[in-house]
Amino acid sequence: MVGERPVDVVRGRVDSTLVRVDDDQYGSDVLSGDWRSRGVKKVRQVPLERDMVLEDPATGWAGAVVRLEAGNVELEDWKGRRRAFPFSGQFLLEGELVTLGRPTAPVGRGPRAAGAGAAGAAGSLASVHADWRPGAAPAVRQASGGGRLRTASGSFAVEAQRARVALPSRIMVEGKHDAELVEKVWGADLRVEGVVVEELSGVDNLADVLDEFRPTRERRVGVLVDHLVPGSKESRFASAVMNGKWGAHVLVVGHPFVDVWQSVKPARVGLTAWPTIPRSIEWKQGICQALGWPHAEQADIARAWQRILGQVRTFADLEPELLGRVEELIDFVTEPRA
């Protein structure tokens, strides 16, 4: 009956826990306020910068910002190809969906700005753009001052100088990927110093290679080893060499990463951290599988590495655990004779 206890008509019983509500359930305007944005995740806006790496989520095209013109932002991929996208669109920045805001410094030079002299040089950010092509080791301009060039490793570039005749000393790395990464970042410096980088095809071959090379004070060897951590096989090889007959003229250093791929900052490939791969799975195949990349054939692994290497522009894209070790090796093999 009306006015008595409400009845639960669904279950056919009286529910004494229900209470009468006198408020008008239609008294408020359900469309008032910003109802359209309720439950919608807000997309962060970031100021556009020269060389920031963006990906168009619709096409998967990724590249460094090289120019902003006529309402479009132009991206250049690691092969040097360029493509323009609407500035007002959404992009992936280190895996996060963002929109672009007004740049704090000019980005790129349009045709009219190209001949405008120093004042039209697009600001300090515009002068910093490394060649992404694998194997390239370009000089890049100093970010803060403009004018003086720096190499991809961050050192001041020596302009208008040919590569020196190779020194007798060598830097040796475990494999092709290590050599390509060193070339990409330190190649310009190594050519100035006359240092050659050679592949070992595995640290297991180090002792035999040294026996053949026969290091001396004038023929030093610096060795870069992957996964040089206490208790690893690499640490045992390194210890044996450093304490062996060639130890006085050999320096073995290494980084803690399972593979040199991990020395690239994960953000460069849209990750917050490199995936952990079980020991039962070959590491590079496991990484490709975790990232959803093809991994059935060796050619797939090679393409995956080129994709990663393509995201390395300067030393800033590498972990410090690798940077310090390579610089240490360069100092060792180029140290002047007392």
Side-chain angles (χ1 to χ4, degrees), residues 121 123-124 127 140-150 156 159:
S124 59
S127 64
V140 295
R141 292 196 178 275
Q142 186 177 3
S144 57
R148 189 166 185 186
L149 297 173
R150 287 185 181 270
F156 286 117
E159 302 182 60

Side-chain angles (χ1 to χ4, degrees), residues 13 88 135 141:
R13 63 175 176 80
S88 59
R141 292 196 178 275

Side-chain angles (χ1 to χ4, degrees), residues 185-246:
V185 177
W186 287 274
D189 308 80
L190 294 173
R191 280 186 283 278
V192 169
E193 297 290 346
V195 176
V196 174
V197 176
E198 296 184 357
E199 299 174 28
L200 284 171
S201 299
V203 71
D204 310 49
N205 302 318
L206 179 55
D208 293 338
V209 170
L210 292 177
D211 284 341
E212 182 178 350
F213 189 83
R214 304 183 67 83
T216 66
R217 176 61 184 83
E218 290 74 28
R219 288 166 51 84
R220 289 184 165 191
V221 174
V223 185
L224 180 67
V225 178
D226 297 340
H227 199 227
L228 192 61
V229 296
S232 66
K233 72 169 185 177
E234 291 82 2
S235 66
R236 293 191 294 272
F237 281 119
S239 178
V241 167
M242 294 291 286
N243 293 306
K245 57 184 176 181
W246 308 117

